[in-house]
Amino acid sequence: MIFEEKVRTGAKDLEKGNSLGNRAILEYFENIASRHADSLGYGINSMPLTHLSWLLLDWYVRVYHRPSYGQELTVRTWSREIKRAYGYRDFELLDSQGRVCAAAMSKWVLINTEKHTIVKADEEMVRKYASEPQRKALGELSRLRAPQDFKPQSSYRVLRRDIDIFGHMHNLYYLDLAYEALPQDAYERRLFDEIRINYSVESRLGETLALSCAQTDRGDWQVVVSSEDKSVIHSVITLGYACENMSRRQPRQ
């Protein structure tokens, strides 16, 4: 079942070249995932009754072309599959001509918000989400591994403004940390067209996070967000230009 809504690019959504930025795209996708869950009775407003919430584990995003300020766009999402406690969700962002501007897939885990434990999705939830395993915005989600040896180059202390309703640093801020960790020339080159984010352990208020950054063999940049002593990896982010020579995708029905 596809769930979609219209959005219009605002001033805060723009980055280099007055084009729609990656953070805004992630925010569009995150918001529509929440509203889809709301519509099925598993959203934020329903948590006091269901005690259930989907916790994001992985992002894989590709950008094909970037809308400019003021354009009306269509954001859509659907459940690809629910396996026991894990949900796989896909996304597309389309312009007014129906071209796919960006596509994404994601992995989530279902938790009990009172007991803070992982729980299996029941038959009613699986039925309501009406997954479409044959409909894929992108390919399969491969595992993102941290390098065996990484050297932190800077640090960040988690502030009040970073904390979400679950008491840990909000998902979107990990992309901000990755940008801060990049060398200046890499950050200024142009917007990244491919984003992979793996979330492993929550970051909480007052924690000091260590940021390390290195370039991979294929030219992507990989950022590791870890505890100050490197004993805990909170997130691994890869930023790349894999779509640089890809043609624009055509409308999908």
Side-chain angles (χ1 to χ4, degrees), residues 67-112:
S68 56
Y69 173 73
Q71 288 191 313
E72 186 178 75
L73 307 171
T74 300
V75 190
R76 61 189 182 190
T77 187
W78 61 94
S79 169
R80 182 190 291 196
E81 187 176 20
I82 295 178
K83 285 184 178 180
R84 297 177 62 83
Y86 296 94
Y88 300 83
R89 174 182 288 279
D90 285 21
F91 303 83
E92 288 179 332
L93 179 67
L94 290 80
D95 63 17
S96 58
Q97 285 76 49
R99 294 179 301 176
V100 179
C101 305
M105 66 174 303
S106 57
K107 181 180 179 181
W108 309 68
V109 64
L110 187 64
I111 60 168
N112 181 295

mmCIF file of all heavy atoms in Angstrom, residues 67-112:
data_model
loop_
_atom_site.group_PDB
_atom_site.id
_atom_site.type_symbol
_atom_site.label_atom_id
_atom_site.label_comp_id
_atom_site.label_asym_id
_atom_site.label_seq_id
_atom_site.Cartn_x
_atom_site.Cartn_y
_atom_site.Cartn_z
ATOM 1 N N PRO A 67 15.376 19.318 -6.884
ATOM 2 C CA PRO A 67 14.436 20.422 -7.104
ATOM 3 C C PRO A 67 14.969 21.724 -6.495
ATOM 4 O O PRO A 67 15.829 21.709 -5.606
ATOM 5 C CB PRO A 67 13.174 19.960 -6.372
ATOM 6 C CG PRO A 67 13.334 18.480 -6.214
ATOM 7 C CD PRO A 67 14.803 18.239 -6.088
ATOM 8 N N SER A 68 14.443 22.825 -6.972
ATOM 9 C CA SER A 68 14.833 24.136 -6.456
ATOM 10 C C SER A 68 13.746 24.678 -5.533
ATOM 11 O O SER A 68 12.732 24.022 -5.272
ATOM 12 C CB SER A 68 15.090 25.099 -7.618
ATOM 13 O OG SER A 68 13.940 25.186 -8.454
ATOM 14 N N TYR A 69 13.947 25.882 -5.069
ATOM 15 C CA TYR A 69 13.038 26.511 -4.110
ATOM 16 C C TYR A 69 11.617 26.666 -4.669
ATOM 17 O O TYR A 69 11.420 27.049 -5.829
ATOM 18 C CB TYR A 69 13.578 27.887 -3.731
ATOM 19 C CG TYR A 69 12.639 28.701 -2.886
ATOM 20 C CD1 TYR A 69 12.427 28.371 -1.555
ATOM 21 C CD2 TYR A 69 11.957 29.784 -3.426
ATOM 22 C CE1 TYR A 69 11.552 29.108 -0.772
ATOM 23 C CE2 TYR A 69 11.082 30.530 -2.640
ATOM 24 C CZ TYR A 69 10.884 30.186 -1.323
ATOM 25 O OH TYR A 69 10.012 30.915 -0.557
ATOM 26 N N GLY A 70 10.640 26.364 -3.828
ATOM 27 C CA GLY A 70 9.242 26.617 -4.151
ATOM 28 C C GLY A 70 8.554 25.547 -4.966
ATOM 29 O O GLY A 70 7.344 25.658 -5.227
ATOM 30 N N GLN A 71 9.265 24.487 -5.370
ATOM 31 C CA GLN A 71 8.644 23.456 -6.195
ATOM 32 C C GLN A 71 7.751 22.545 -5.359
ATOM 33 O O GLN A 71 8.083 22.192 -4.227
ATOM 34 C CB GLN A 71 9.712 22.622 -6.904
ATOM 35 C CG GLN A 71 10.419 23.352 -8.025
ATOM 36 C CD GLN A 71 11.262 22.401 -8.856
ATOM 37 O OE1 GLN A 71 12.007 21.576 -8.334
ATOM 38 N NE2 GLN A 71 11.150 22.507 -10.169
ATOM 39 N N GLU A 72 6.615 22.167 -5.943
ATOM 40 C CA GLU A 72 5.742 21.191 -5.294
ATOM 41 C C GLU A 72 6.210 19.788 -5.650
ATOM 42 O O GLU A 72 6.427 19.472 -6.819
ATOM 43 C CB GLU A 72 4.290 21.381 -5.723
ATOM 44 C CG GLU A 72 3.346 20.465 -4.959
ATOM 45 C CD GLU A 72 1.890 20.657 -5.338
ATOM 46 O OE1 GLU A 72 1.512 20.190 -6.423
ATOM 47 O OE2 GLU A 72 1.156 21.278 -4.549
ATOM 48 N N LEU A 73 6.337 18.954 -4.632
ATOM 49 C CA LEU A 73 6.843 17.595 -4.805
ATOM 50 C C LEU A 73 5.871 16.599 -4.194
ATOM 51 O O LEU A 73 5.045 16.946 -3.343
ATOM 52 C CB LEU A 73 8.217 17.450 -4.119
ATOM 53 C CG LEU A 73 9.279 18.484 -4.498
ATOM 54 C CD1 LEU A 73 10.485 18.337 -3.588
ATOM 55 C CD2 LEU A 73 9.687 18.333 -5.962
ATOM 56 N N THR A 74 5.995 15.358 -4.628
ATOM 57 C CA THR A 74 5.225 14.264 -4.041
ATOM 58 C C THR A 74 6.185 13.338 -3.313
ATOM 59 O O THR A 74 7.180 12.880 -3.878
ATOM 60 C CB THR A 74 4.478 13.467 -5.120
ATOM 61 O OG1 THR A 74 3.576 14.324 -5.811
ATOM 62 C CG2 THR A 74 3.701 12.315 -4.496
ATOM 63 N N VAL A 75 5.898 13.099 -2.057
ATOM 64 C CA VAL A 75 6.672 12.142 -1.264
ATOM 65 C C VAL A 75 5.802 10.916 -1.061
ATOM 66 O O VAL A 75 4.629 11.046 -0.689
ATOM 67 C CB VAL A 75 7.069 12.726 0.105
ATOM 68 C CG1 VAL A 75 8.067 11.811 0.803
ATOM 69 C CG2 VAL A 75 7.636 14.122 -0.032
ATOM 70 N N ARG A 76 6.372 9.746 -1.312
ATOM 71 C CA ARG A 76 5.579 8.537 -1.098
ATOM 72 C C ARG A 76 6.411 7.439 -0.459
ATOM 73 O O ARG A 76 7.638 7.396 -0.604
ATOM 74 C CB ARG A 76 4.958 8.050 -2.392
ATOM 75 C CG ARG A 76 5.877 7.657 -3.514
ATOM 76 C CD ARG A 76 5.026 7.419 -4.764
ATOM 77 N NE ARG A 76 5.831 6.974 -5.898
ATOM 78 C CZ ARG A 76 5.353 6.881 -7.132
ATOM 79 N NH1 ARG A 76 4.094 7.187 -7.394
ATOM 80 N NH2 ARG A 76 6.129 6.467 -8.127
ATOM 81 N N THR A 77 5.728 6.563 0.238
ATOM 82 C CA THR A 77 6.394 5.481 0.945
ATOM 83 C C THR A 77 5.504 4.253 0.965
ATOM 84 O O THR A 77 4.290 4.343 0.762
ATOM 85 C CB THR A 77 6.742 5.903 2.384
ATOM 86 O OG1 THR A 77 7.543 4.887 3.008
ATOM 87 C CG2 THR A 77 5.494 6.128 3.222
ATOM 88 N N TRP A 78 6.121 3.122 1.211
ATOM 89 C CA TRP A 78 5.367 1.871 1.370
ATOM 90 C C TRP A 78 6.231 0.877 2.135
ATOM 91 O O TRP A 78 7.465 0.976 2.181
ATOM 92 C CB TRP A 78 4.972 1.286 0.013
ATOM 93 C CG TRP A 78 6.118 0.920 -0.897
ATOM 94 C CD1 TRP A 78 6.726 -0.302 -1.029
ATOM 95 C CD2 TRP A 78 6.813 1.804 -1.793
ATOM 96 N NE1 TRP A 78 7.734 -0.255 -1.953
ATOM 97 C CE2 TRP A 78 7.813 1.031 -2.445
ATOM 98 C CE3 TRP A 78 6.693 3.155 -2.117
ATOM 99 C CZ2 TRP A 78 8.689 1.563 -3.390
ATOM 100 C CZ3 TRP A 78 7.559 3.699 -3.050
ATOM 101 C CH2 TRP A 78 8.541 2.905 -3.680
ATOM 102 N N SER A 79 5.571 -0.065 2.759
ATOM 103 C CA SER A 79 6.270 -1.147 3.439
ATOM 104 C C SER A 79 6.689 -2.185 2.402
ATOM 105 O O SER A 79 5.849 -2.693 1.658
ATOM 106 C CB SER A 79 5.356 -1.790 4.486
ATOM 107 O OG SER A 79 5.930 -2.988 4.975
ATOM 108 N N ARG A 80 7.979 -2.455 2.345
ATOM 109 C CA ARG A 80 8.437 -3.514 1.441
ATOM 110 C C ARG A 80 8.227 -4.893 2.069
ATOM 111 O O ARG A 80 7.801 -5.838 1.415
ATOM 112 C CB ARG A 80 9.917 -3.333 1.103
ATOM 113 C CG ARG A 80 10.425 -4.375 0.125
ATOM 114 C CD ARG A 80 11.924 -4.376 -0.050
ATOM 115 N NE ARG A 80 12.425 -3.186 -0.732
ATOM 116 C CZ ARG A 80 13.640 -3.126 -1.264
ATOM 117 N NH1 ARG A 80 14.463 -4.177 -1.182
ATOM 118 N NH2 ARG A 80 14.049 -2.024 -1.861
ATOM 119 N N GLU A 81 8.523 -4.980 3.364
ATOM 120 C CA GLU A 81 8.417 -6.285 4.027
ATOM 121 C C GLU A 81 8.486 -6.098 5.537
ATOM 122 O O GLU A 81 9.152 -5.189 6.033
ATOM 123 C CB GLU A 81 9.566 -7.183 3.567
ATOM 124 C CG GLU A 81 9.498 -8.610 4.033
ATOM 125 C CD GLU A 81 10.612 -9.474 3.464
ATOM 126 O OE1 GLU A 81 11.627 -8.904 3.025
ATOM 127 O OE2 GLU A 81 10.464 -10.705 3.480
ATOM 128 N N ILE A 82 7.797 -6.955 6.263
ATOM 129 C CA ILE A 82 7.929 -7.034 7.716
ATOM 130 C C ILE A 82 8.319 -8.455 8.064
ATOM 131 O O ILE A 82 7.597 -9.410 7.755
ATOM 132 C CB ILE A 82 6.622 -6.642 8.438
ATOM 133 C CG1 ILE A 82 6.296 -5.165 8.170
ATOM 134 C CG2 ILE A 82 6.747 -6.880 9.939
ATOM 135 C CD1 ILE A 82 5.009 -4.701 8.808
ATOM 136 N N LYS A 83 9.493 -8.607 8.675
ATOM 137 C CA LYS A 83 10.003 -9.915 9.085
ATOM 138 C C LYS A 83 10.128 -9.940 10.592
ATOM 139 O O LYS A 83 10.998 -9.278 11.163
ATOM 140 C CB LYS A 83 11.383 -10.179 8.472
ATOM 141 C CG LYS A 83 11.394 -10.525 7.005
ATOM 142 C CD LYS A 83 12.829 -10.857 6.579
ATOM 143 C CE LYS A 83 12.904 -11.269 5.128
ATOM 144 N NZ LYS A 83 14.308 -11.591 4.742
ATOM 145 N N ARG A 84 9.240 -10.633 11.234
ATOM 146 C CA ARG A 84 9.243 -10.740 12.685
ATOM 147 C C ARG A 84 9.258 -9.349 13.328
ATOM 148 O O ARG A 84 8.271 -8.641 13.260
ATOM 149 C CB ARG A 84 10.416 -11.608 13.166
ATOM 150 C CG ARG A 84 10.324 -13.072 12.665
ATOM 151 C CD ARG A 84 11.515 -13.882 13.088
ATOM 152 N NE ARG A 84 11.610 -13.973 14.541
ATOM 153 C CZ ARG A 84 10.936 -14.856 15.267
ATOM 154 N NH1 ARG A 84 10.115 -15.728 14.690
ATOM 155 N NH2 ARG A 84 11.066 -14.881 16.590
ATOM 156 N N ALA A 85 10.397 -8.918 13.895
ATOM 157 C CA ALA A 85 10.452 -7.611 14.552
ATOM 158 C C ALA A 85 10.996 -6.511 13.654
ATOM 159 O O ALA A 85 11.087 -5.362 14.085
ATOM 160 C CB ALA A 85 11.311 -7.705 15.813
ATOM 161 N N TYR A 86 11.334 -6.852 12.408
ATOM 162 C CA TYR A 86 12.005 -5.887 11.532
ATOM 163 C C TYR A 86 11.124 -5.481 10.359
ATOM 164 O O TYR A 86 10.445 -6.312 9.749
ATOM 165 C CB TYR A 86 13.327 -6.476 11.028
ATOM 166 C CG TYR A 86 14.302 -6.725 12.150
ATOM 167 C CD1 TYR A 86 14.378 -7.975 12.762
ATOM 168 C CD2 TYR A 86 15.117 -5.704 12.631
ATOM 169 C CE1 TYR A 86 15.252 -8.206 13.819
ATOM 170 C CE2 TYR A 86 15.994 -5.928 13.685
ATOM 171 C CZ TYR A 86 16.056 -7.173 14.274
ATOM 172 O OH TYR A 86 16.915 -7.382 15.326
ATOM 173 N N GLY A 87 11.144 -4.189 10.059
ATOM 174 C CA GLY A 87 10.378 -3.661 8.935
ATOM 175 C C GLY A 87 11.297 -3.008 7.925
ATOM 176 O O GLY A 87 12.267 -2.335 8.289
ATOM 177 N N TYR A 88 11.004 -3.205 6.643
ATOM 178 C CA TYR A 88 11.767 -2.614 5.548
ATOM 179 C C TYR A 88 10.837 -1.698 4.770
ATOM 180 O O TYR A 88 9.794 -2.130 4.279
ATOM 181 C CB TYR A 88 12.349 -3.709 4.651
ATOM 182 C CG TYR A 88 13.290 -4.641 5.392
ATOM 183 C CD1 TYR A 88 12.789 -5.715 6.135
ATOM 184 C CD2 TYR A 88 14.658 -4.424 5.378
ATOM 185 C CE1 TYR A 88 13.645 -6.558 6.844
ATOM 186 C CE2 TYR A 88 15.523 -5.268 6.077
ATOM 187 C CZ TYR A 88 15.010 -6.321 6.808
ATOM 188 O OH TYR A 88 15.859 -7.152 7.504
ATOM 189 N N ARG A 89 11.226 -0.446 4.667
ATOM 190 C CA ARG A 89 10.357 0.584 4.100
ATOM 191 C C ARG A 89 11.094 1.319 2.988
ATOM 192 O O ARG A 89 12.268 1.683 3.136
ATOM 193 C CB ARG A 89 9.934 1.558 5.195
ATOM 194 C CG ARG A 89 9.155 2.758 4.710
ATOM 195 C CD ARG A 89 8.830 3.695 5.858
ATOM 196 N NE ARG A 89 7.808 3.162 6.739
ATOM 197 C CZ ARG A 89 6.512 3.210 6.497
ATOM 198 N NH1 ARG A 89 6.066 3.775 5.373
ATOM 199 N NH2 ARG A 89 5.642 2.720 7.345
ATOM 200 N N ASP A 90 10.398 1.562 1.865
ATOM 201 C CA ASP A 90 10.975 2.279 0.733
ATOM 202 C C ASP A 90 10.315 3.647 0.570
ATOM 203 O O ASP A 90 9.205 3.878 1.045
ATOM 204 C CB ASP A 90 10.810 1.475 -0.562
ATOM 205 C CG ASP A 90 11.769 0.302 -0.635
ATOM 206 O OD1 ASP A 90 12.271 -0.136 0.417
ATOM 207 O OD2 ASP A 90 12.011 -0.184 -1.748
ATOM 208 N N PHE A 91 11.021 4.528 -0.152
ATOM 209 C CA PHE A 91 10.555 5.905 -0.343
ATOM 210 C C PHE A 91 10.907 6.380 -1.753
ATOM 211 O O PHE A 91 11.903 5.957 -2.339
ATOM 212 C CB PHE A 91 11.250 6.870 0.631
ATOM 213 C CG PHE A 91 11.108 6.540 2.078
ATOM 214 C CD1 PHE A 91 11.952 5.612 2.681
ATOM 215 C CD2 PHE A 91 10.153 7.164 2.859
ATOM 216 C CE1 PHE A 91 11.843 5.318 4.033
ATOM 217 C CE2 PHE A 91 10.038 6.882 4.210
ATOM 218 C CZ PHE A 91 10.883 5.954 4.801
ATOM 219 N N GLU A 92 10.105 7.322 -2.239
ATOM 220 C CA GLU A 92 10.438 8.053 -3.464
ATOM 221 C C GLU A 92 9.988 9.501 -3.316
ATOM 222 O O GLU A 92 8.954 9.789 -2.711
ATOM 223 C CB GLU A 92 9.769 7.429 -4.692
ATOM 224 C CG GLU A 92 10.387 6.104 -5.112
ATOM 225 C CD GLU A 92 9.701 5.486 -6.312
ATOM 226 O OE1 GLU A 92 8.495 5.741 -6.508
ATOM 227 O OE2 GLU A 92 10.379 4.738 -7.041
ATOM 228 N N LEU A 93 10.775 10.394 -3.909
ATOM 229 C CA LEU A 93 10.449 11.810 -3.988
ATOM 230 C C LEU A 93 10.329 12.163 -5.460
ATOM 231 O O LEU A 93 11.280 11.962 -6.228
ATOM 232 C CB LEU A 93 11.540 12.641 -3.328
ATOM 233 C CG LEU A 93 11.358 14.159 -3.341
ATOM 234 C CD1 LEU A 93 10.173 14.567 -2.472
ATOM 235 C CD2 LEU A 93 12.634 14.856 -2.862
ATOM 236 N N LEU A 94 9.157 12.650 -5.877
ATOM 237 C CA LEU A 94 8.890 12.921 -7.292
ATOM 238 C C LEU A 94 8.634 14.407 -7.520
ATOM 239 O O LEU A 94 8.035 15.087 -6.677
ATOM 240 C CB LEU A 94 7.675 12.133 -7.775
ATOM 241 C CG LEU A 94 7.810 10.611 -7.904
ATOM 242 C CD1 LEU A 94 7.669 9.928 -6.551
ATOM 243 C CD2 LEU A 94 6.769 10.055 -8.854
ATOM 244 N N ASP A 95 9.076 14.901 -8.688
ATOM 245 C CA ASP A 95 8.774 16.281 -9.047
ATOM 246 C C ASP A 95 7.424 16.363 -9.744
ATOM 247 O O ASP A 95 6.718 15.355 -9.892
ATOM 248 C CB ASP A 95 9.898 16.889 -9.899
ATOM 249 C CG ASP A 95 10.084 16.196 -11.246
ATOM 250 O OD1 ASP A 95 9.173 15.465 -11.689
ATOM 251 O OD2 ASP A 95 11.150 16.387 -11.865
ATOM 252 N N SER A 96 7.041 17.564 -10.188
ATOM 253 C CA SER A 96 5.712 17.761 -10.778
ATOM 254 C C SER A 96 5.547 17.047 -12.107
ATOM 255 O O SER A 96 4.424 16.840 -12.575
ATOM 256 C CB SER A 96 5.432 19.248 -10.953
ATOM 257 O OG SER A 96 6.436 19.851 -11.767
ATOM 258 N N GLN A 97 6.664 16.649 -12.764
ATOM 259 C CA GLN A 97 6.599 15.880 -14.011
ATOM 260 C C GLN A 97 6.585 14.372 -13.762
ATOM 261 O O GLN A 97 6.546 13.583 -14.710
ATOM 262 C CB GLN A 97 7.795 16.222 -14.919
ATOM 263 C CG GLN A 97 7.701 17.576 -15.610
ATOM 264 C CD GLN A 97 7.997 18.718 -14.656
ATOM 265 O OE1 GLN A 97 8.994 18.671 -13.938
ATOM 266 N NE2 GLN A 97 7.156 19.731 -14.655
ATOM 267 N N GLY A 98 6.629 13.982 -12.489
ATOM 268 C CA GLY A 98 6.609 12.567 -12.158
ATOM 269 C C GLY A 98 7.967 11.906 -12.168
ATOM 270 O O GLY A 98 8.071 10.690 -12.019
ATOM 271 N N ARG A 99 9.034 12.690 -12.329
ATOM 272 C CA ARG A 99 10.377 12.117 -12.292
ATOM 273 C C ARG A 99 10.792 11.851 -10.852
ATOM 274 O O ARG A 99 10.499 12.634 -9.949
ATOM 275 C CB ARG A 99 11.388 13.065 -12.935
ATOM 276 C CG ARG A 99 11.189 13.286 -14.421
ATOM 277 C CD ARG A 99 12.225 14.269 -14.955
ATOM 278 N NE ARG A 99 12.155 15.557 -14.273
ATOM 279 C CZ ARG A 99 12.994 16.557 -14.488
ATOM 280 N NH1 ARG A 99 13.992 16.403 -15.343
ATOM 281 N NH2 ARG A 99 12.857 17.702 -13.846
ATOM 282 N N VAL A 100 11.490 10.751 -10.635
ATOM 283 C CA VAL A 100 11.976 10.413 -9.304
ATOM 284 C C VAL A 100 13.228 11.243 -9.015
ATOM 285 O O VAL A 100 14.270 11.055 -9.644
ATOM 286 C CB VAL A 100 12.283 8.914 -9.176
ATOM 287 C CG1 VAL A 100 12.808 8.603 -7.773
ATOM 288 C CG2 VAL A 100 11.036 8.080 -9.467
ATOM 289 N N CYS A 101 13.113 12.154 -8.085
ATOM 290 C CA CYS A 101 14.257 12.989 -7.693
ATOM 291 C C CYS A 101 15.193 12.231 -6.749
ATOM 292 O O CYS A 101 16.418 12.385 -6.824
ATOM 293 C CB CYS A 101 13.777 14.245 -6.984
ATOM 294 S SG CYS A 101 12.595 15.236 -7.902
ATOM 295 N N ALA A 102 14.616 11.448 -5.860
ATOM 296 C CA ALA A 102 15.405 10.694 -4.892
ATOM 297 C C ALA A 102 14.636 9.442 -4.499
ATOM 298 O O ALA A 102 13.404 9.409 -4.540
ATOM 299 C CB ALA A 102 15.693 11.542 -3.655
ATOM 300 N N ALA A 103 15.379 8.415 -4.134
ATOM 301 C CA ALA A 103 14.786 7.154 -3.692
ATOM 302 C C ALA A 103 15.539 6.668 -2.467
ATOM 303 O O ALA A 103 16.721 6.996 -2.274
ATOM 304 C CB ALA A 103 14.838 6.110 -4.806
ATOM 305 N N ALA A 104 14.859 5.885 -1.651
ATOM 306 C CA ALA A 104 15.509 5.394 -0.434
ATOM 307 C C ALA A 104 14.885 4.098 0.019
ATOM 308 O O ALA A 104 13.743 3.784 -0.307
ATOM 309 C CB ALA A 104 15.400 6.439 0.684
ATOM 310 N N MET A 105 15.670 3.365 0.769
ATOM 311 C CA MET A 105 15.137 2.231 1.507
ATOM 312 C C MET A 105 15.667 2.317 2.929
ATOM 313 O O MET A 105 16.685 2.978 3.197
ATOM 314 C CB MET A 105 15.508 0.908 0.851
ATOM 315 C CG MET A 105 16.972 0.561 0.855
ATOM 316 S SD MET A 105 17.244 -1.103 0.219
ATOM 317 C CE MET A 105 16.227 -2.071 1.329
ATOM 318 N N SER A 106 14.978 1.671 3.844
ATOM 319 C CA SER A 106 15.335 1.782 5.248
ATOM 320 C C SER A 106 14.971 0.506 5.992
ATOM 321 O O SER A 106 14.132 -0.276 5.545
ATOM 322 C CB SER A 106 14.604 2.977 5.881
ATOM 323 O OG SER A 106 13.205 2.829 5.722
ATOM 324 N N LYS A 107 15.606 0.341 7.142
ATOM 325 C CA LYS A 107 15.327 -0.812 8.004
ATOM 326 C C LYS A 107 14.981 -0.296 9.391
ATOM 327 O O LYS A 107 15.638 0.614 9.914
ATOM 328 C CB LYS A 107 16.549 -1.728 8.078
ATOM 329 C CG LYS A 107 16.340 -2.972 8.941
ATOM 330 C CD LYS A 107 17.593 -3.841 8.959
ATOM 331 C CE LYS A 107 17.404 -5.074 9.834
ATOM 332 N NZ LYS A 107 18.628 -5.919 9.867
ATOM 333 N N TRP A 108 13.953 -0.885 9.993
ATOM 334 C CA TRP A 108 13.458 -0.462 11.293
ATOM 335 C C TRP A 108 13.279 -1.680 12.192
ATOM 336 O O TRP A 108 13.119 -2.807 11.704
ATOM 337 C CB TRP A 108 12.110 0.243 11.154
ATOM 338 C CG TRP A 108 12.076 1.348 10.144
ATOM 339 C CD1 TRP A 108 12.186 1.232 8.779
ATOM 340 C CD2 TRP A 108 11.928 2.748 10.399
ATOM 341 N NE1 TRP A 108 12.118 2.469 8.184
ATOM 342 C CE2 TRP A 108 11.952 3.419 9.143
ATOM 343 C CE3 TRP A 108 11.750 3.500 11.567
ATOM 344 C CZ2 TRP A 108 11.824 4.792 9.043
ATOM 345 C CZ3 TRP A 108 11.616 4.872 11.466
ATOM 346 C CH2 TRP A 108 11.653 5.511 10.209
ATOM 347 N N VAL A 109 13.273 -1.448 13.495
ATOM 348 C CA VAL A 109 12.984 -2.517 14.444
ATOM 349 C C VAL A 109 11.844 -2.061 15.339
ATOM 350 O O VAL A 109 11.751 -0.890 15.719
ATOM 351 C CB VAL A 109 14.236 -2.893 15.282
ATOM 352 C CG1 VAL A 109 14.701 -1.730 16.156
ATOM 353 C CG2 VAL A 109 13.974 -4.129 16.124
ATOM 354 N N LEU A 110 10.934 -2.980 15.645
ATOM 355 C CA LEU A 110 9.759 -2.679 16.458
ATOM 356 C C LEU A 110 10.102 -2.875 17.933
ATOM 357 O O LEU A 110 10.630 -3.929 18.319
ATOM 358 C CB LEU A 110 8.601 -3.591 16.060
ATOM 359 C CG LEU A 110 7.232 -3.299 16.688
ATOM 360 C CD1 LEU A 110 6.721 -1.926 16.239
ATOM 361 C CD2 LEU A 110 6.234 -4.388 16.300
ATOM 362 N N ILE A 111 9.825 -1.831 18.744
ATOM 363 C CA ILE A 111 10.150 -1.923 20.167
ATOM 364 C C ILE A 111 8.920 -1.645 21.018
ATOM 365 O O ILE A 111 7.990 -0.962 20.604
ATOM 366 C CB ILE A 111 11.270 -0.938 20.558
ATOM 367 C CG1 ILE A 111 10.844 0.505 20.277
ATOM 368 C CG2 ILE A 111 12.568 -1.279 19.844
ATOM 369 C CD1 ILE A 111 11.771 1.544 20.894
ATOM 370 N N ASN A 112 8.926 -2.217 22.220
ATOM 371 C CA ASN A 112 7.941 -1.900 23.239
ATOM 372 C C ASN A 112 8.472 -0.696 24.010
ATOM 373 O O ASN A 112 9.551 -0.759 24.613
ATOM 374 C CB ASN A 112 7.737 -3.093 24.178
ATOM 375 C CG ASN A 112 6.698 -2.819 25.245
ATOM 376 O OD1 ASN A 112 6.866 -1.962 26.100
ATOM 377 N ND2 ASN A 112 5.611 -3.584 25.210
#
